């Protein structure tokens, strides 16, 4: 693969502690607006961009050699020679370690955000917020003022550029209503409750996987710091870490 490929990443959404649509300050609101719906982006990363440049048959081969088969079981992933799978196995120690860390991370994130939004104090704050926005002339369904921005402004600006005056005005009102309704304090209180309960219920898993995570970070840092590269990893694994298709 060429190493000088350029790419464009997706515009980030505004959020607070995994709850989307929340501004943490007036400065953030006016500076960022609603990039997820007003910024032009093709969301193509280097890997996908390179794959798209290949012929259809080469794309299929690349997919197999880079990611392996989507139907591979966990047991097959433990011996797969696909590039990304081999790399994940080495960094995490095993495919099982990677899968377990990914699972608990996704579970933590989804449970925390979804459960938080269901708490009464958060629902009450969101009701107050929607009433405030309605008084200002904006009809919103929950913390989704971005839908108004997407409908009224469309994707008109590039990544890194500031929102125009109209988008800033919407974001400013959005923040002021969130602030008046006490969205962040309500989310913080509910999330502390939800998080504490989840962590108690999953204490054994968390402690076990924390040890795995520390070892994973050490291996990752050894690559980032230049202490390890493909050649040294291949030597350490007796040549089992290898390029596919050779």
């Amino acid at each position: 693969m060429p190493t000088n490929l350029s790419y464009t990443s997706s515009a980030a959404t505004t959020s607070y502690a995994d709850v989307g649509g929340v501004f943490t300050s007036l400065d953030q609101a006016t500076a960022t607006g609603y990039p997820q719906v007003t910024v032009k982006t093709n969301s193509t990363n280097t890997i996908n961009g390179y794959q798209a440049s290949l012929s259809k048959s080469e794309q299929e081969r690349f997919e197999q050699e880079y990611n392996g088969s989507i139907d591979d079981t966990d047991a097959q992933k433990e011996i797969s020679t696909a590039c990304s799978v081999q790399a994940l196995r080495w960094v995490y120690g095993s495919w099982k370690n990677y899968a377990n860390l990914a699972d608990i991370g996704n579970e933590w994130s989804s449970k925390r955000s979804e459960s938080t939004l269901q708490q009464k104090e958060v629902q009450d704050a969101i009701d107050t917020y929607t009433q405030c926005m309605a008084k200002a002339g904006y009809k919103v369904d929950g913390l989704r003022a971005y839908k108004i921005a997407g409908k009224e402004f469309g994707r008109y600006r590039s990544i890194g550029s500031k929102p125009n005056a109209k988008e800033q005005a919407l974001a400013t009102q959005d923040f002021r209503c969130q602030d008046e309704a006490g969205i962040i304090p309500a989310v913080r209180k509910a999330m502390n409750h939800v998080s504490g309960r989840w962590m108690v219920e999953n204490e054994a898993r968390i402690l076990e996987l924390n040890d795995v995570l520390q070892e994973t970070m050490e291996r990752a840092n050894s690559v980032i710091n230049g202490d390890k590269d493909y050649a040294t990893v291949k030597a350490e694994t007796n040549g089992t870490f290898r390029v596919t298709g050779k």
Side-chain angles (χ1 to χ4, degrees):
M1 280 183 58
T3 58
N4 60 345
L5 294 173
S6 61
Y7 67 95
T8 305
S9 59
S10 299
T13 60
T14 54
S15 64
Y16 172 76
D18 296 333
V19 176
V22 178
F23 291 115
T24 59
S25 68
L26 180 58
D27 286 342
Q28 182 198 24
T30 56
T32 63
Y34 307 91
Q36 68 269 42
V37 294
T38 61
V39 168
K40 293 179 287 188
T41 172
N42 58 17
S43 301
T44 299
N45 62 34
T46 303
I47 300 297
N48 292 340
Y50 174 71
Q51 187 173 1
S53 72
L54 304 174
S55 67
K56 184 176 180 180
S57 61
E58 289 175 327
Q59 286 182 20
E60 292 174 353
R61 180 189 174 204
F62 182 88
E63 181 64 26
Q64 285 291 320
E65 294 191 355
Y66 184 74
N67 289 318
S69 173
I70 193 172
D71 298 321
D72 282 351
T73 63
D74 284 344
Q76 290 170 318
K77 291 285 190 181
E78 291 288 5
I79 59 174
S80 172
T81 57
C83 297
S84 64
V85 178
Q86 289 187 88
L88 287 170
R89 280 205 312 266
W90 182 80
V91 172
Y92 286 86
S94 69
W95 180 263
K96 182 179 179 181
N97 285 347
Y98 165 71
N100 287 341
L101 279 167
D103 286 345
I104 199 169
N106 291 334
E107 180 182 328
W108 158 249
S109 179
S110 62
K111 290 284 186 183
R112 187 171 63 164
S113 57
E114 291 173 8
S115 298
T116 294
L117 287 172
Q118 294 169 2
Q119 300 302 304
K120 185 179 184 304
E121 59 265 39
V122 176
Q123 287 294 316
D124 289 345
I126 291 175
D127 287 344
T128 301
Y129 159 78
T130 56
Q131 292 170 21
C132 175
M133 290 292 282
K135 290 179 182 178
Y138 298 108
K139 184 177 180 180
V140 295
D141 176 20
L143 298 168
R144 299 184 181 90
Y146 68 87
K147 289 189 174 182
I148 297 175
K151 183 178 180 180
E152 294 192 2
F153 315 132
R155 295 188 181 277
Y156 71 91
R157 57 189 175 108
S158 59
I159 288 180
S161 63
K162 292 183 178 181
N164 62 24
K166 290 183 178 179
E167 185 177 355
Q168 285 186 336
L170 172 60
T172 296
Q173 185 60 54
D174 193 357
F175 169 75
R176 286 174 176 165
C177 284
Q178 290 182 28
D179 190 45
E180 179 180 314
I183 293 293
I184 287 183
V187 167
R188 185 184 299 120
K189 179 180 178 181
M191 191 162 285
N192 286 341
H193 173 70
V194 170
S195 299
R197 184 174 59 200
W198 185 90
M199 292 179 73
V200 168
E201 293 172 351
N202 293 273
E203 181 179 9
R205 289 173 66 200
I206 294 171
L207 292 174
E208 179 182 355
L209 289 174
N210 181 62
D211 292 338
V212 173
L213 180 60
Q214 297 306 312
E215 294 173 359
T216 297
M217 291 175 65
E218 289 177 8
R219 283 189 289 270
N221 282 327
S222 71
V223 175
I224 294 170
N225 296 333
D227 299 326
K228 302 282 186 182
D229 58 16
Y230 173 76
T232 56
V233 171
K234 183 178 180 180
E236 287 178 359
T237 58
N238 297 317
T240 58
F241 190 91
R242 59 188 182 276
V243 175
T244 59
K246 296 286 187 180

